[in-house]
Amino acid sequence: MAKKRSGGGLTGTQQAAKFLGVSVLAGAVLAGIALPAAGALGLAAKGTVEGFDEIPANLKTPPLSQRTTILDNKGGTIAQVYSRDRTVVPLADISPYMQKAIVAIEDGRFYEHGAIDLKGVLRAMNKNATSGGVAQGASTLTQQYVKNVFVEEAGDDPDKVAEATQQTIGRKVKELKYAIQVEEELGKKKILENYLNITFFGQQAYGIEAAAKRYFSKSAKDLTLDESAMLAGIVQSPSRYDPVNDAQEAKKRRNTVLQRMADMKDISQAEADKAKEVPIKLSVSKPKNGCITAVDGAGFFCDYVREVFLSDPVFGKTKEERAKLWNQGGLTVQTTLDPQSQKATQASIKEHVYQKDSVATAVTLVQPGSGKILAMGQSKPYGFGDNETQINFSVNRQMGGSNFGFPVGSTFKPFLAAAAIEGGKPPTQQYPSPYEMDYPASVQTCSGKPWVNDTKNPAHLENENESESGPYALKDAMAKSVNTYFVQMLGDIGMCPVSQMTDKLNVRQGNGDKLPMLPSALTLGSTGISPLTMASAYAAFANRGTYCSPIAIESIKKPDGSAVPVPKSSCSQAMSQTTADSINTLLRGVVDSGTGTEAGLKDRDNAGKTGTTDARKNAWFVGYTSNLSAAVWVGSPSQRVEMNNITIGGQFQEQVYGGQVPGPIWRDAMTGALQGQDSAPFVRVDIPDGGQKAADPVAGTAGTAGTNNDKSKNKGKHKPKPGGDNKPPNRGGQSGESPFPGISFPPGVIGGDGGGWPQ
């Protein structure tokens, strides 16, 4: 507490209080007359005002920040997010006890004075002067409301908040002038309503409705006398009178409010005495803010919605504008998330991959023809604890995903096949496809300068099993995922058609870059790509060649019910219908008799492709029906775990294949998501088997685990080699790592140190 100076003079605080009293009188009686110069008190110019008239005439009242509710496509709540937890309610929906309690304790003469309570100012000045400090304030409810408006306008900027609450003559005078304006324009009841909706009640609750929900789990209109008195008492010091942490102090303060109400004749003394005997009875609802509270594992989808909002110019020209709109909240965001699909996805994830496992899975479901994201989940939950993460493995880095995405392996091969067929190659195309071979001596690029293989240390690859030796036609090569077939196809058509096809399908690396013009990237999926990107691209096959960009938001409404424009899916023809129908026919063979038989659905047309990368650090299954596309990735987010002799979801796996672990996850998620729905059959293309060589019935197939053979038979010379159904280089997904961790390449290919070209 401030003390008197020696000699009996007034302290700086007392001088300011005296000056303020004179200023108030001058402002009230001679509204608009300039106040005395601040310099007369020896105050610095900063933080003061030179004249009353120089203050802008109108108080700019920002919209009150409120909770934003994120809904699924059926109207169910996914999560509520807010900068400040507040629900604005009219005065009619606030208990009369609450209205009387706040007036009694904060401004007993509220209905008698104007914007400024002159009697209160003089009384406070006298009290403060005799006490040697500031023992009593004189702010009316109107002035407090104006101060709260300043704080609300400051948002979460600590410097602006400090400026809005600093104890300076300048800020106080500004507050006084606006209080006069507010009184003239709004009237007492509206001021009281606004005050009760804006003020802070502690425990992250702004406004009386949020406070009633927080402390008593009820609406403001249902507050009793003792509850109202307790909440009114909190306002002066939310930390000191917090009933959650100090019920005794809160009770003393509540009883002070009750007695004040009795003194004001708002209630009888008997009512006050009875209410004072009531113990503090709380029914606390914990704050539920943010995507961490999302239901059915939809935290990552919720976070994706937020990222879309903050990054899309539809919601504001600048990042600051978009952030301001999001933080103000009060929005109702209806999304594309389908609760049935989301529940099925999470159930499948929990069944097949445990949270504590050394590897993770991410699953994304997209609707062909609309681009709507229907489900998004992963085995490492959204959070900050052990085996939790805030990295969304399903999306690109700029949307909260991993730095690079994850190498997709042989799930890339359908893009190459689509480019070849679109360019005129028949779906019966054959290539010699030996068990092993060097990459072509040169492969054409879009620049006209070909990629050239190193003659001294050439890039080399081989198939999964020695029995896989051609010739093969495309149908069987796709079903068995024959590496050498597709590398020969790339050498035949060049890399540019493939690059052009992936551009049309918006297939980019996880960091947002275009795919590199390298044979491994445009054949065997060596670069990192996100599950959302893969699911959306495959959806174009299901949609007969039309690609639709993914969307997550259906509609947004402001608190007043007006609509906010939302981004729409952009659809374009990426390939001819005949090409898409050909790919659908080819990929049906993968799930019917190829590497993806463990993933296949038995009750409807479906198609898909497996993928397994070098050292088995990533395994994929991407597939679709005519009305749903899904991508499943399983692997180590850090790209450090090789999935050999590993237990995943309680099941020991000697070697993980794309069809073996991701495949069943895809099957179960799709089965649950499509339950009760029909899927139109694919338009099939007659593709003869051709003259390819039949596979050794004992040997197994590329990337297969128990499909055409018992896994235990993969012994001796036919034992699968590390790398699954293909062996591209790996790209990491964690900050600070090399994009090609632990990978070496032939000199001059990607700048590696030679040797070990992925097979």
Side-chain angles (χ1 to χ4, degrees):
M1 181 178 291
K3 297 181 179 179
K4 290 183 179 180
R5 295 178 301 187
S6 59
L10 294 178
T11 65
T13 300
Q14 293 166 351
Q15 290 184 42
K18 183 177 180 180
F19 166 74
L20 183 56
V22 174
S23 300
V24 167
L25 291 172
V29 179
L30 303 171
I33 300 297
L35 292 170
L41 289 177
L43 300 175
K46 185 176 181 181
T48 66
V49 289
E50 294 181 357
F52 199 71
D53 281 344
E54 295 183 11
I55 303 172
N58 295 312
L59 173 66
K60 293 182 179 179
T61 306
L64 295 184
S65 58
Q66 301 182 65
R67 285 179 293 178
T68 284
T69 301
I70 300 177
L71 307 175
D72 61 35
N73 66 3
K74 298 295 190 295
T77 299
I78 297 173
Q80 290 184 321
V81 299
Y82 50 81
S83 174
R84 292 179 179 172
D85 186 11
R86 176 189 284 118
T87 300
V88 176
V89 292
L91 198 61
D93 287 341
I94 301 174
S95 166
Y97 286 128
M98 187 66 223
Q99 297 177 42
K100 293 175 181 179
I102 199 71
V103 170
I105 196 63
E106 289 295 320
D107 186 1
R109 289 170 35 81
F110 176 63
Y111 292 107
E112 300 171 24
H113 60 67
I116 303 157
D117 185 3
L118 300 182
K119 288 184 179 180
V121 170
L122 296 174
R123 183 179 62 249
M125 285 177 58
N126 181 62
K127 181 74 172 178
N128 294 340
T130 56
S131 67
V134 180
Q136 189 175 105
S139 291
T140 64
L141 269 182
T142 308
Q143 290 172 258
Q144 292 182 49
Y145 166 63
V146 170
K147 182 176 71 173
N148 275 298
V149 169
F150 294 157
V151 173
E152 185 73 19
E153 192 172 25
D156 296 323
D157 187 321
D159 294 332
K160 291 183 179 179
V161 171
E163 181 181 345
T165 57
Q166 62 183 332
Q167 294 300 315
T168 63
I169 298 297
R171 187 196 64 78
K172 198 67 177 178
V173 170
K174 187 178 181 181
E175 176 187 297
L176 292 175
K177 178 166 184 177
Y178 286 139
I180 295 171
Q181 174 206 332
V182 168
E183 283 272 351
E184 291 176 348
E185 294 181 356
L186 299 183
K188 294 294 186 180
K189 287 190 176 295
K190 189 62 177 178
I191 291 171
L192 179 59
E193 176 185 300
N194 288 0
Y195 177 81
L196 285 169
N197 277 304
I198 199 173
T199 198
F200 180 54
F201 287 89
Q203 290 287 324
Q204 301 182 34
Y206 288 81
I208 188 59
E209 182 71 8
K213 292 286 179 65
R214 181 75 72 252
Y215 294 106
F216 300 112
S217 298
K218 61 170 62 175
S219 295
K221 64 182 179 181
D222 298 322
L223 290 170
T224 62
L225 172 59
D226 61 287
E227 292 168 347
S228 297
M230 192 206 79
L231 292 178
I234 290 175
V235 171
Q236 186 184 83
S237 179
S239 58
R240 178 180 176 182
Y241 301 125
D242 180 358
V244 175
N245 296 313
D246 195 337
Q248 283 301 111
E249 193 69 19
K251 184 177 181 180
K252 290 179 184 178
R253 177 64 176 169
R254 180 202 68 181
N255 290 351
T256 298
V257 176
L258 288 168
Q259 187 57 51
R260 180 64 176 159
M261 292 177 74
D263 294 342
M264 297 285 296
K265 308 302 181 183
D266 291 323
I267 58 174
S268 68
Q269 188 61 53
E271 287 177 301
D273 292 341
K274 182 179 180 181
K276 288 178 185 178
E277 296 302 317
V278 178
I280 297 290
K281 295 179 181 179
L282 302 178
S283 178
V284 177
S285 297
K286 293 183 178 179
K288 293 183 177 180
N289 179 25
C291 293
I292 197 170
T293 66
V295 299
D296 296 325
F300 294 102
F301 176 80
C302 171
D303 195 63
Y304 179 77
V305 168
R306 175 182 173 274
E307 293 291 345
V308 168
F309 193 99
L310 295 177
S311 62
D312 199 309
V314 168
F315 301 112
K317 294 181 180 179
T318 66
K319 183 177 180 180
E320 290 72 22
E321 287 180 22
R322 298 189 291 270
K324 184 176 182 180
L325 181 58
W326 180 262
N327 289 333
Q328 283 176 353
L331 306 173
T332 300
V333 182
Q334 183 147 17
T335 71
T336 60
L337 192 80
D338 175 56
Q340 177 178 326
S341 298
Q342 182 65 24
K343 289 177 181 177
T345 296
Q346 282 302 116
S348 182
I349 288 171
K350 290 182 179 179
E351 173 69 21
H352 294 286
V353 182
Y354 295 163
Q355 179 179 344
K356 65 181 180 180
D357 287 345
S358 59
V359 294
T361 186
V363 183
T364 301
L365 277 60
V366 173
Q367 185 179 69
S370 71
K372 294 178 181 179
I373 302 170
L374 301 186
M376 183 180 287
Q378 61 192 53
S379 58
K380 303 293 183 185
Y382 189 95
F384 305 91
D386 293 340
N387 290 309
E388 296 179 338
T389 182
Q390 287 184 286
I391 298 175
N392 186 348
F393 301 143
S394 286
V395 301
N396 288 349
R397 179 177 65 189
Q398 60 265 40
M399 302 303 288
S402 64
N403 279 353
F404 301 101
F406 305 103
V408 297
S410 288
T411 58
F412 191 91
K413 290 173 181 174
F415 303 143
L416 169 57
I421 295 172
E422 188 77 354
K425 292 293 181 184
T428 54
Q429 178 70 40
Q430 291 191 22
Y431 292 106
S433 315
Y435 162 64
E436 59 181 326
M437 59 175 282
D438 290 341
Y439 272 74
S442 67
V443 183
Q444 285 299 321
T445 67
C446 291
S447 68
K449 181 180 180 181
W451 173 88
V452 178
N453 202 353
D454 188 341
T455 56
K456 294 183 178 179
N457 188 17
H460 188 84
L461 78 156
E462 58 191 44
N463 296 324
E464 177 73 15
N465 298 301
E466 292 179 19
S467 63
E468 293 172 358
S469 178
Y472 283 105
L474 178 55
K475 187 175 182 180
D476 209 34
M478 185 70 79
K480 294 177 171 60
S481 201
V482 179
N483 291 336
T484 56
Y485 176 94
F486 288 95
V487 167
Q488 287 180 304
M489 175 176 275
L490 185 76
D492 188 4
I493 70 171
M495 287 188 270
C496 198
V498 186
S499 179
Q500 291 170 345
M501 176 60 67
T502 53
D503 283 348
K504 292 176 183 178
L505 294 171
N506 201 33
V507 176
R508 304 181 79 86
Q509 299 180 72
N511 63 2
D513 292 346
K514 287 188 62 171
L515 302 181
M517 201 70 65
L518 296 167
S520 65
L522 299 180
T523 310
L524 305 181
S526 64
T527 52
I529 300 172
S530 72
L532 175 58
T533 297
M534 293 298 290
S536 298
Y538 269 55
F541 298 141
N543 196 33
R544 302 197 72 194
T546 298
Y547 170 82
C548 295
S549 59
I551 56 169
I553 300 173
E554 294 262 28
S555 65
I556 298 180
K557 289 185 178 179
K558 292 182 178 180
D560 62 4
S562 61
V564 176
V566 299
K568 304 296 182 182
S569 178
S570 176
C571 298
S572 58
Q573 198 73 28
M575 67 195 78
S576 69
Q577 290 186 352
T578 301
T579 295
D581 294 341
S582 298
I583 297 298
N584 296 339
T585 303
L586 291 167
L587 295 187
R588 282 188 75 256
V590 174
V591 296
D592 286 346
S593 59
T595 61
T597 54
E598 289 191 56
L601 306 177
K602 306 304 180 185
D603 62 341
R604 64 192 74 215
D605 261 4
N606 62 115
K609 185 70 186 75
T610 58
T612 313
T613 67
D614 187 34
R616 304 193 187 279
K617 291 180 180 178
N618 303 275
W620 288 76
F621 189 86
V622 188
Y624 51 92
T625 63
S626 59
N627 56 342
L628 189 59
S629 175
V632 178
W633 162 82
V634 176
S636 163
S638 67
Q639 295 291 278
R640 294 190 177 112
V641 178
E642 298 182 4
M643 291 185 289
N644 297 298
N645 299 316
I646 188 173
T647 297
I648 302 175
Q651 300 294 316
F652 177 78
Q653 307 287 347
E654 183 179 352
Q655 292 180 315
V656 171
Y657 298 82
Q660 182 186 39
V661 178
I665 297 173
W666 182 90
R667 178 196 65 215
D668 293 350
M670 292 284 286
T671 298
L674 291 169
Q675 186 175 6
Q677 302 179 43
D678 293 327
S679 300
F682 296 138
V683 177
R684 302 186 188 182
V685 175
D686 182 22
I687 303 177
D689 289 340
Q692 64 265 34
K693 178 180 177 180
D696 185 331
V698 178
T701 60
T704 304
T707 53
N708 295 338
N709 58 287
D710 184 279
K711 185 179 177 184
S712 64
K713 295 178 182 178
N714 288 330
K715 303 293 183 182
K717 86 174 201 176
H718 298 304
K719 182 178 180 181
K721 294 179 172 56
D725 58 2
N726 53 58
K727 309 180 189 73
N730 297 292
R731 297 200 68 171
Q734 295 296 316
S735 176
E737 289 187 30
S738 163
F740 300 96
I743 303 299
S744 57
F745 301 95
V749 177
I750 309 182
D753 55 4
W757 179 260
Q759 301 169 8

